[in-house]
Amino acid sequence: MINLAGKRALVTGSGRGIGREIALKLAAAGADVVITDVDLESAKQTSKDIQALGRKSIAVQADVSSQESVQKLFETCAADFGTIEILVNNAGITRDNLLIRMPEADWDLVLNVNLKSVFLCTKEAIRPMMKARYGRIINIASVIGLMGNASQVNYAAAKAGIIGVTMSVAKEYAVKNITANAIAPGFIQSAMTDKLSPEVRQKYVDYIPLARLGTAEDVANAVLFLASPLADYITGQVLTVDGGMVM
Ligand code: NAD
């Protein structure tokens, strides 16, 4: 049984989807959790649901692609919640298009929300972790960052970038007992994959040895493991949660 009592976590993009499931899973294991999302209403709801589990939680609106917004987020956390031991960089978006049709703005937006956010949030979280000589950083990448995908050059670049950042942070801060790992989900049932046509969805399922889409809970279980003492000797790794699609 994993026990995270006494640990404080922050999960970006936790108003809905995979981030919400991660936050609930960490709280169910005993952690107090900061819920942060660009959409404050959904963040408040997740936060309420965590409080109902008997854990401390605050909801903070932040745009993780903005340095100013991320700095304010961590100032609010320090003042109203306490320092963070577990950081889950989950917020992400897609703006799919063929490379030849992709506007520069969509390249920049996807790189900023998915990748720059990991740099900004890690930079804010890491100083107190260094002081405490303890930190667990878990970055949500994607199998697309490992294998590429047509119409997703921006997303694939961002997710591959997250893997590079994860390994670099792991090397830079291992000496302070801070681990950094990435999770690369495959195709997970979510708002993102709900947009797929039934034909495209079936095409993906045909590629998955376990013959189903993953669930947000499948991803959250992997986060829980990496956040727990069971993973104390694991750093700089990419754990695919994809039903065996990439191997
Ligand atoms: P989702 O769209 O359901 O949730 C993303 C959340 O991030 C939303 O609550 C949204 O409001 C928030 N968000 C968006 N932009 C933000 C910003 N600038 N600042 C703060 N919050 C912001 O997506 P999801 O499917 O739950 O995906 C979560 C993560 O998992 C993403 O990083 C995604 O790339 C990754 N992922 C998803 C899948 C999948 O199949 N769904 C597969 C692989 C990886």
Side-chain angles (χ1 to χ4, degrees):
M1 176 76 177
I2 291 173
N3 185 355
L4 296 182
K7 294 283 188 288
R8 286 175 297 249
L10 182 150
V11 184
T12 69
S14 44
R16 70 172 196 200
I18 294 171
R20 175 183 153 84
E21 197 64 35
I22 292 168
L24 289 167
K25 184 68 72 175
L26 295 176
D32 295 328
V33 190
V34 177
I35 304 303
T36 181
D37 203 290
V38 75
D39 174 14
L40 182 59
E41 285 317 303
S42 65
K44 279 184 179 166
Q45 185 58 54
T46 305
S47 195
K48 253 192 210 164
D49 295 342
I50 286 178
Q51 287 163 3
L53 295 172
R55 306 310 328 156
K56 190 176 170 196
S57 178
I58 57 170
V60 188
Q61 183 174 33
D63 172 359
V64 288
S65 66
S66 150
Q67 173 160 267
E68 196 192 339
S69 186
V70 169
Q71 282 173 344
K72 272 194 199 144
L73 162 66
F74 278 86
E75 278 165 23
T76 305
C77 288
D80 300 350
F81 188 81
T83 51
I84 302 300
E85 285 103 12
I86 300 165
L87 170 66
V88 184
N89 285 306
N90 163 81
I93 56 163
T94 53
R95 290 291 182 278
D96 298 350
N97 218 330
L98 295 175
L99 176 144
I100 51 167
R101 291 196 197 132
M102 186 174 289
E104 184 185 6
D106 283 356
W107 170 272
D108 289 343
L109 182 66
V110 168
L111 267 287
N112 288 340
V113 174
N114 292 273
L115 178 59
K116 186 179 166 193
S117 61
V118 177
F119 163 67
L120 293 175
C121 292
T122 305
K123 198 172 169 191
E124 291 300 320
I126 208 134
R127 235 179 255 281
M129 287 180 179
M130 288 167 71
K131 245 190 195 167
R133 299 189 75 83
Y134 182 89
R136 297 289 173 263
I137 300 169
I138 298 145
N139 298 324
I140 306 302
S142 167
V143 290
I144 303 305
L146 296 170
M147 64 184 199
N149 199 20
S151 294
Q152 289 198 310
V153 287
N154 50 3
Y155 187 74
K159 294 304 191 182
I162 286 176
I163 292 169
V165 171
T166 303
M167 291 174 175
S168 302
V169 170
K171 287 189 174 174
E172 221 169 286
Y173 297 99
V175 68
K176 299 288 186 189
N177 189 34
I178 298 168
T179 66
N181 292 287
I183 290 173
F187 292 103
I188 307 299
Q189 276 164 25
S190 64
M192 241 180 219
T193 47
D194 285 349
K195 290 186 230 154
L196 300 173
S197 70
E199 299 75 43
V200 173
R201 173 184 284 256
Q202 188 53 48
K203 214 179 88 189
Y204 286 139
V205 170
D206 291 343
Y207 272 109
I208 302 170
L210 286 173
R212 66 166 174 89
L213 296 189
T215 63
E217 194 178 9
D218 290 325
V219 180
N221 284 335
V223 173
L224 179 64
F225 166 67
L226 289 173
S228 81
L230 297 178
D232 277 354
Y233 198 55
I234 299 175
T235 195
Q237 301 306 304
V238 183
L239 178 56
T240 53
V241 179
D242 66 349
M245 193 169 50
V246 177
M247 62 169 137

